[in-house]
Amino acid sequence: MATQPDAIDADFIVIGAGSAGCAVAARLSEDPATRVLLLEAGGDDTNRWIHIPLGFGKTFADPSVNWCYETEPDPGAGDRRVYWPRGKVLGGSSSINGMVYIRGQAEDFDHWRQLGNTGWSFEDVLPYFRRAEHQTRGADEFHGSGGPLCVSDVPDHHPICEAFIQSAIEMGYPRNDDFNGARQEGVGYHQTTTRNGRRCSTAVGYLRPAMQRRNLQVVTEALSEKILFEARRAVGVSFRREGRVYTARAAREIILCGGAINSPQLLLLSGIGPQEQLAALGIPVVQDLPGVGRSLQDHYSAPLKLRCRFPITVNDVMQSNVKKLKVGLEYYLFRKGPLAMCSSPAALFARTRPELASPDVKLSIQPFSADRPQDGLHPWSGFSMIAYQLRPDSRGQIMLKSANPADPPAVHPNYLSTELDQQTIAAGLRLCRQLLATPHLARFTEAESLPGPAVQSDADLLDFARRRGGTVYHPTSTCKMGVDPLAVVDPELQVRGVAGLRVADASVMPTVVSGNTNAATIMIGEKVADLVRQEVRLAA
């Protein structure tokens, strides 16, 4: 945008063009009489690696599209700082994630309803999942067709993934070709948010078509600094762009979609949060809400790194110019091959204890290996298996470091701080080894590089998980909805104690879903658009 007026007027202001924000802005702008303004701190999604599925490795630590956050030194992670990539670009994290489409278990959403969140049971939210989805297999009871978000099958079945699936079946786990269908438990291939071999982010699926509408204005490179209030009503946003400060005013509502880090950060900067924390930073209190930034949850994983007997991994491709040329042509011509691969093509959802009603761990297989994604792949043939607990008990917190909107907040995840979490991560690693010991996977495994055969006891496995584990990039719940004292928003996603302001993103999840968070975040965007439109109709 070449010029920008000092003040913008709109009916609705959506802050954050991420997984939820693109959906909210697209849906609200379907009414041609409604003026919608979408503010995004990042830029356009023109980076070519965004749209090539395997390109997530290129954007993983690229500050041009990524906030590149780090946690504070965390005792549960061996006092390390854990790297937290978050999308800073149109599409948000849906533009840089691993593209795995997992909604979570039906029990997750029924639990939300049991916590007092009317309208959020699985029966309530399934229509929004279906409305969002264009399922390439076609519509059925659980899936929709014709929606903005394309959900498709993994295009290639790698021999290591096939061996992983056969190993799990041999151990008695059921084959599951739809983790988002009647049940989650079992082993199979993921589906991905891709269309014809290219990433289908919410910027691609929702926002690009909506940007043709004259009533939707999108402002990129716009860092929201403060929500503006008149008395106790949110009326506008102050944002900085190219060194200048601008004001946008909302005649109806502001919908904050900044994500699990940026949404609580902006609320705190705007005077909504724990009174003591705000006062210590000299921020005038608009509403004392002790839960802002609290209840932080994330999936913490522990990896096994394996040396492969055969040169068939993605590592081998990247070590050979000839192979890179071949896979480049394969992708260009057919949209197949390693470049069309998501982060983890196949997975097993399993129970670590027989008394559990549903899976509590996920094991994912990756036909590549690295010490850390941002460091590049190993120079040897390698593959990986990761284990993580689906429903962690540990709770962390996000706090401001300063009153400067440009300063990242302090992230305290508090990983593996409960006994159940510690037991479950060790059990997940033991299950990985049981799979690797079966003939199907054993024939591919030359050696276990990490943690290595010396690590055997539960205590040693836990110590390894602390030292070498990390996030699965699913932070949630820092502005959680509910009716308890730490709830930040009510079941209509309205911020408690003020008017004209909602939050709609992964931060409102009362508990993290049992799987990847992207699909559920998009569902939240779909649902809040309906909630807003219902209120508009009632007021008319």
Side-chain angles (χ1 to χ4, degrees):
M1 190 163 42
T3 60
Q4 177 67 54
D6 289 339
I8 308 173
D9 291 316
D11 294 304
F12 297 103
I13 299 174
V14 181
I15 304 174
S19 297
C22 287
V24 174
R27 291 304 188 191
L28 291 180
S29 64
E30 289 174 345
D31 178 358
T34 297
R35 300 165 300 163
V36 180
L37 171 66
L38 177 60
L39 299 175
E40 167 55 39
D44 290 334
D45 59 336
T46 53
N47 185 319
R48 66 179 178 136
W49 291 112
I50 287 175
H51 304 286
I52 299 171
L54 195 64
F56 67 84
K58 297 285 189 180
T59 61
F60 191 84
D62 182 351
S64 71
V65 296
N66 194 326
W67 289 98
C68 299
Y69 288 122
E70 284 189 328
T71 71
E72 299 303 298
D74 191 80
D79 292 315
R80 293 176 297 133
R81 293 182 182 272
V82 179
Y83 179 61
W84 275 24
R86 294 282 92 194
K88 186 182 181 183
V89 63
L90 290 181
S93 293
S94 77
S95 287
I96 67 166
N97 68 4
M99 293 153 290
V100 171
Y101 183 79
I102 297 287
R103 297 170 177 175
Q105 299 168 10
E107 293 88 345
D108 296 333
F109 306 102
D110 289 341
H111 179 58
W112 291 5
R113 174 62 187 88
Q114 290 166 7
L115 293 173
N117 295 292
T118 304
W120 292 91
S121 71
F122 183 66
E123 182 181 358
D124 294 319
V125 301
L126 179 58
Y128 295 102
F129 280 120
R130 296 184 74 248
R131 186 169 78 180
E133 185 181 15
H134 174 63
Q135 172 58 249
T136 58
R137 298 177 183 175
D140 61 21
E141 176 186 357
F142 295 100
H143 297 284
S145 180
L149 186 73
C150 190
V151 178
S152 60
D153 292 320
V154 171
D156 300 287
H157 291 179
H158 194 280
I160 290 175
C161 297
E162 287 286 292
F164 172 82
I165 291 170
Q166 291 304 313
S167 295
I169 292 172
E170 185 174 287
M171 289 176 59
Y173 292 101
R175 177 69 186 252
N176 189 346
D177 292 318
D178 185 3
F179 295 130
N180 303 296
R183 73 178 194 283
Q184 187 189 69
E185 189 164 18
V187 65
Y189 285 99
H190 288 126
Q191 285 201 298
T192 65
T193 49
T194 58
R195 179 190 288 127
N196 298 325
R198 289 175 64 83
R199 179 191 294 273
C200 184
S201 67
T202 55
V204 170
Y206 282 89
L207 191 59
R208 289 297 171 197
M211 287 175 72
Q212 307 304 313
R213 301 171 187 148
R214 299 182 64 181
N215 62 324
L216 173 61
Q217 183 176 3
V218 179
V219 182
T220 56
E221 309 288 350
L223 178 65
S224 295
E225 296 190 332
K226 187 177 182 181
I227 297 168
L228 307 175
F229 289 87
E230 290 180 359
R232 306 186 69 77
R233 181 173 185 83
V235 295
V237 180
S238 171
F239 67 92
R240 184 176 297 272
R241 188 175 192 268
E242 297 178 346
R244 293 180 57 190
V245 176
Y246 301 90
T247 299
R249 294 187 66 85
R252 291 180 177 173
E253 279 196 32
I254 297 169
I255 301 100
L256 175 54
C257 304
I261 300 175
N262 297 96
S263 283
Q265 179 189 23
L266 187 58
L267 288 181
L268 292 166
L269 290 168
S270 306
I272 299 176
Q275 184 171 333
E276 301 81 5
Q277 186 184 152
L278 300 176
L281 293 173
I283 298 173
V285 178
V286 174
Q287 175 66 25
D288 179 17
L289 271 186
V292 175
R294 299 277 294 277
S295 307
L296 171 63
Q297 298 160 53
D298 186 27
H299 288 140
Y300 185 84
S301 70
L304 276 76
K305 308 292 184 181
L306 297 311
R307 287 182 178 265
C308 186
R309 295 181 190 274
F310 312 108
I312 59 171
T313 69
V314 178
N315 298 25
D316 299 293
V317 171
M318 296 306 167
Q319 294 298 314
S320 166
N321 288 332
V322 173
K323 290 181 178 179
K324 283 194 286 188
L325 178 61
K326 180 182 176 183
V327 302
L329 287 171
E330 183 181 18
Y331 180 75
Y332 179 77
L333 293 172
F334 306 111
R335 292 289 188 260
K336 297 183 70 175
L339 288 177
M341 183 184 296
C342 68
S343 58
S344 301
L348 167 67
F349 288 89
R351 291 173 284 170
T352 62
R353 307 192 310 278
E355 68 271 19
L356 294 175
S358 62
D360 66 328
V361 292
K362 178 183 180 181
L363 311 186
S364 297
I365 189 78
Q366 302 169 328
F368 55 85
S369 67
D371 286 331
R372 300 184 307 168
Q374 60 266 45
D375 295 336
L377 301 177
H378 287 138
W380 33 265
S381 300
F383 64 101
S384 309
M385 198 182 300
I386 65 169
Y388 70 84
Q389 183 187 15
L390 294 171
R391 295 183 292 275
D393 280 351
S394 300
R395 299 290 185 267
Q397 186 173 5
I398 287 176
M399 305 173 68
L400 293 182
K401 291 182 180 179
S402 77
N404 184 350
D407 290 343
V411 178
H412 300 275
N414 209 23
Y415 287 127
L416 299 175
S417 58
T418 71
E419 185 175 354
L420 178 61
D421 292 4
Q422 296 164 17
Q423 292 172 350
T424 306
I425 199 73
L429 287 170
R430 287 199 306 272
L431 182 54
C432 286
R433 282 179 163 169
Q434 291 174 35
L435 286 163
L436 289 165
T438 64
H440 299 284
L441 275 172
R443 67 180 292 263
F444 289 98
T445 307
E446 180 179 287
E448 181 183 290
S449 177
L450 279 177
V455 176
Q456 291 294 335
S457 69
D458 281 1
D460 287 344
L461 288 169
L462 175 60
D463 178 67
F464 166 75
R466 291 194 192 282
R467 290 184 294 104
R468 300 303 295 265
T471 177
V472 196
Y473 324 115
H474 299 159
T476 69
S477 310
T478 48
C479 301
K480 74 168 187 174
M481 69 169 140
V483 294
D484 62 284
L486 289 182
V488 175
V489 298
D490 64 19
E492 283 70 47
L493 305 189
Q494 297 165 321
V495 176
R496 296 169 60 187
V498 298
L501 178 61
R502 301 187 205 234
V503 182
D505 53 40
S507 71
V508 306
M509 296 183 188
T511 52
V512 62
V513 292
S514 302
N516 296 52
T517 49
N518 183 244
T521 302
I522 295 168
M523 175 275 292
I524 289 167
E526 286 274 8
K527 183 170 170 64
V528 80
D530 258 13
L531 292 171
V532 170
R533 289 184 291 204
Q534 287 168 12
E535 189 159 305
V536 169
R537 285 195 293 268
L538 289 173

